[in-house]
Amino acid sequence: LGIMGSPWVGLEHFERFFSAYNFRQLLFNTLGISVYSLIAGFPIPIIFALMLNYLISNKLRKVVQMVSYAPYFISTVVICGMLTIFLDTNSGIFNVLRGLLGMEPVNALGKPEWFKSIYVWSGVWQGMGWSSIIYISALSGVDPQTHEAAIIDGAHRGQRIWHINLPCLTPTIVIMLIMRMGSVINVGFEKVFLMQNSLNLEYSEIIATHVYKMTFQSTSSTKYSYSTAVGLFNSVVNCTLLLIVNFITKRLSADNTSLF
């Protein structure tokens, strides 16, 4: 009936979502995976970029970069298939190595408490190289004469990283952190859904998979309205976090680094 002709339901769908029996579980699982990914995955590309920056051999640097970038271009379906094969209880390399160490095989994807770690660290491996590109670009803008002067003054590699490289990377790190905080609630649906099973559902059910099931596996006539309300909730939370982190970084940084 269109916007003007349809009945206005107010906050009905929001109330339905907030009062759902598994709302706390959905929110905690989503935030848990997202925060875990942020803590584990955000600093590693920075460290990786710094390590590449100090490789003496240009040929070796190019090889390492190519190898580290490659996993990013593997599709999510293939990555999940690889995880299923590697973690297979009978023939997976993970359980083969456990057997060599005298340990019993374990169904890793069936252990709820392992789900977040498998999701996060496989994501770190896949995106580490690609995420480091922007930091490598920022490091390439550092004046070589600054390093030469520091070496003459007796600064070792760690001191040069701390006093030269990191200050130059700080504005980039701040901007990337702000942008990352703007998508805290948006955990990748495809990978979670493909890794999900009845055994790990307690830890793997997130807002995105809940919306998918309510939209495409529900017979309710209001499923699209409900899904839209949940999507709006995600957008409001992400936008609020973005504004808060942007305000804090702008106040704390000496040069007022921020998105706006």
Side-chain angles (χ1 to χ4, degrees):
L1 300 176
I3 295 177
M4 301 305 296
S6 301
W8 175 249
V9 298
L11 301 177
E12 175 185 332
H13 299 300
F14 293 100
E15 293 173 355
R16 177 183 168 193
F17 177 57
F18 296 147
S19 61
Y21 75 94
N22 59 345
F23 171 72
R24 290 170 61 88
Q25 179 190 24
L26 295 173
L27 187 61
F28 288 161
N29 287 346
T30 303
L31 290 176
I33 293 176
S34 186
V35 173
Y36 191 173
S37 298
L38 181 65
I39 294 173
F42 188 78
I44 288 180
I46 303 171
I47 298 170
F48 183 67
L50 290 169
M51 292 172 62
L52 281 178
N53 190 56
Y54 282 92
L55 281 180
I56 299 176
S57 172
N58 288 329
K59 189 173 182 179
L60 178 60
R61 183 185 295 115
K62 290 179 180 179
V63 171
V64 172
Q65 284 180 303
M66 183 184 68
V67 172
S68 64
Y69 296 165
Y72 179 80
F73 299 97
I74 302 175
S75 71
T76 304
V77 175
V78 174
I79 287 292
C80 292
M82 291 169 61
L83 290 174
T84 302
I85 294 172
F86 294 158
L87 300 176
D88 183 78
T89 308
N90 299 317
S91 58
I93 187 171
F94 176 69
N95 281 302
V96 169
L97 292 175
R98 285 177 61 89
L100 293 176
L101 296 174
M103 304 170 69
E104 294 293 325
V106 62
N107 181 10
L109 289 176
K111 294 182 74 65
E113 62 273 17
W114 287 19
F115 179 84
K116 292 178 182 176
S117 295
I118 295 172
Y119 176 91
V120 169
W121 289 107
S122 61
V124 170
W125 167 76
Q126 186 179 11
M128 174 184 68
W130 183 260
S131 299
S132 68
I133 291 178
I134 190 169
Y135 301 112
I136 293 173
S137 301
L139 287 171
S140 66
V142 179
D143 189 352
Q145 293 182 358
T146 309
H147 283 282
E148 293 171 3
I151 293 171
I152 293 173
D153 289 338
H156 54 72
R157 186 170 298 176
Q159 290 174 323
R160 284 186 285 142
I161 290 174
W162 184 258
H163 295 287
I164 299 175
N165 294 126
L166 284 179
C168 292
L169 282 178
T170 299
T172 304
I173 293 173
V174 170
I175 295 298
M176 296 300 293
L177 178 62
I178 294 172
M179 295 177 65
R180 186 72 176 269
M181 290 302 296
S183 59
V184 166
I185 300 294
N186 294 337
V187 177
F189 156 77
E190 298 89 352
K191 188 175 179 182
V192 173
F193 188 72
L194 291 169
M195 291 174 59
Q196 195 175 77
N197 57 54
S198 58
L199 297 176
N200 61 30
L201 198 62
E202 179 184 356
Y203 284 76
S204 65
E205 185 73 346
I206 60 174
I207 293 176
T209 55
H210 171 72
V211 170
Y212 171 83
K213 293 173 182 177
M214 292 299 295
T215 304
F216 297 105
Q217 298 179 4
S218 172
T219 58
S220 173
S221 59
T222 59
K223 56 186 179 181
Y224 296 113
S225 301
Y226 176 79
S227 302
T228 304
V230 177
L232 180 59
F233 166 76
N234 284 352
S235 300
V236 170
V237 172
N238 286 331
C239 184
T240 303
L241 288 174
L242 177 66
L243 293 174
I244 292 173
V245 175
N246 184 78
F247 175 79
I248 293 173
T249 54
K250 191 173 184 178
R251 285 297 185 91
L252 294 181
S253 60
D255 54 354
N256 292 328
T257 303
S258 62
L259 279 178
F260 45 84

